[in-house]
Amino acid sequence: MDGAAEDDTLATQEANVTSLQGCASAHGRSAMLVVGLTGNIGSGKSTVARLLESRGVRVIDADVLAREAVAIGSPALGRIVARWGRGVLGADGALDRAALRRVVFANAAERRALDAIVHPEVKARRDELLASARAVGVRVVVCDIPLLFEAGLVDEVDVVLLVDAPRDVRLERLVRDRGLSQTDALAMIDAQLPAETKRARSAYVIDNDGTLDTLRARVEETWRSIERDRLP
């Protein structure tokens, strides 16, 4: 199943620490199980998240929160434009993620500046969603966090669910479906920890190297295992 449609944009990646901290805050205050869903770019993580949602699982998506945080008219977008100029906006006035990525992707100081703008907004949104879930007695919430391991916060969730695919498959997806050059795609892949490292630290792994039907079956099997192993 092709996972390149998932959006591991810079805004999502730069929101990872904050969004995971929001998940962790719920972990410490209730019996609600917090699952950290992660996967390297092109793995198909977002497809798995959608399959879980179709199963009725509550999923909090870091990319959705990041997009809300920098929506047209938002204070965060205003601060981004003030720092990097109107060249990071599209013709419609919305954030042009590709343009922003070109400006900050390879510059650690610029990424930190973006963190300082986006993270507080993402945290507020995530905290609200987690509080709502706790209030209605939700038993399990999946936090979709692309850089769960890179953020160094894997221990802040109850269990890690990794989606993986061979490196060459992920590269092919990025080039074919996102229109990236091979050089750019490899740079994005290499910016994340190797999948082998993540597999060794994940309680559950879903391999996404086949058809959608195969992936759907693997998601169902893995989620049944999580429910059996982790829920009272």
Side-chain angles (χ1 to χ4, degrees):
M1 172 60 190
D2 191 332
E6 62 177 329
D7 192 354
D8 285 299
T9 63
L10 180 65
T12 296
Q13 295 182 0
E14 296 308 310
N16 283 316
V17 174
T18 295
S19 56
L20 184 52
Q21 285 172 335
C23 291
S25 67
H27 168 58
R29 292 198 300 268
S30 78
M32 185 170 67
L33 180 72
V34 179
V35 177
L37 174 65
T38 193
N40 281 355
I41 187 168
S43 65
K45 172 188 59 59
S46 291
T47 301
V48 170
R50 288 192 293 271
L51 290 171
L52 289 172
E53 285 183 312
S54 70
R55 198 183 188 281
V57 178
R58 183 78 60 94
V59 177
I60 300 178
D61 187 340
D63 186 56
V64 171
L65 301 185
R67 288 179 179 276
E68 291 174 354
V70 297
I72 294 175
S74 67
L77 183 59
R79 291 194 291 272
I80 287 171
V81 173
R83 181 177 179 94
W84 290 288
R86 298 191 63 83
V88 299
L89 297 180
D92 60 354
L95 181 65
D96 183 337
R97 282 171 165 71
L100 182 60
R101 183 171 61 242
R102 287 191 294 270
V103 173
V104 306
F105 184 75
N107 187 311
E110 297 297 280
R111 291 199 306 272
R112 286 193 296 270
L114 184 60
D115 289 347
I117 294 171
V118 177
H119 285 183
E121 302 293 335
V122 172
K123 183 182 190 313
R125 285 164 169 78
R126 183 168 298 279
D127 285 348
E128 291 174 1
L129 293 174
L130 287 167
S132 296
R134 288 194 301 270
V136 297
V138 173
R139 298 174 68 208
V140 56
V141 171
V142 170
C143 289
D144 181 346
I145 308 291
L147 297 185
L148 179 64
F149 287 96
E150 289 83 355
L153 297 172
V154 63
D155 293 333
E156 302 297 334
V157 297
D158 294 304
V159 61
V160 176
L161 171 57
L162 176 72
V163 184
D164 193 22
R167 179 184 172 92
D168 60 335
V169 172
R170 292 187 284 117
L171 175 61
E172 179 185 356
R173 291 170 178 170
L174 293 174
V175 172
R176 182 190 65 217
D177 297 327
R178 294 207 190 176
L180 296 175
S181 69
Q182 182 161 314
T183 298
D184 288 345
L186 283 171
M188 297 183 78
I189 288 173
D190 290 339
Q192 297 179 316
L193 289 175
E196 294 77 11
T197 301
K198 297 182 178 184
R199 292 180 75 99
R201 298 181 62 193
S202 299
Y204 301 91
V205 178
I206 296 174
D207 287 303
N208 180 24
D209 53 1
T211 66
L212 177 58
D213 285 341
T214 298
L215 179 61
R216 184 179 289 110
R218 289 173 178 173
V219 169
E220 180 67 22
E221 179 183 6
T222 301
W223 194 254
R224 285 200 303 267
S225 294
I226 291 174
E227 290 180 322
R228 181 185 64 243
D229 298 344
R230 306 286 173 165
L231 293 178

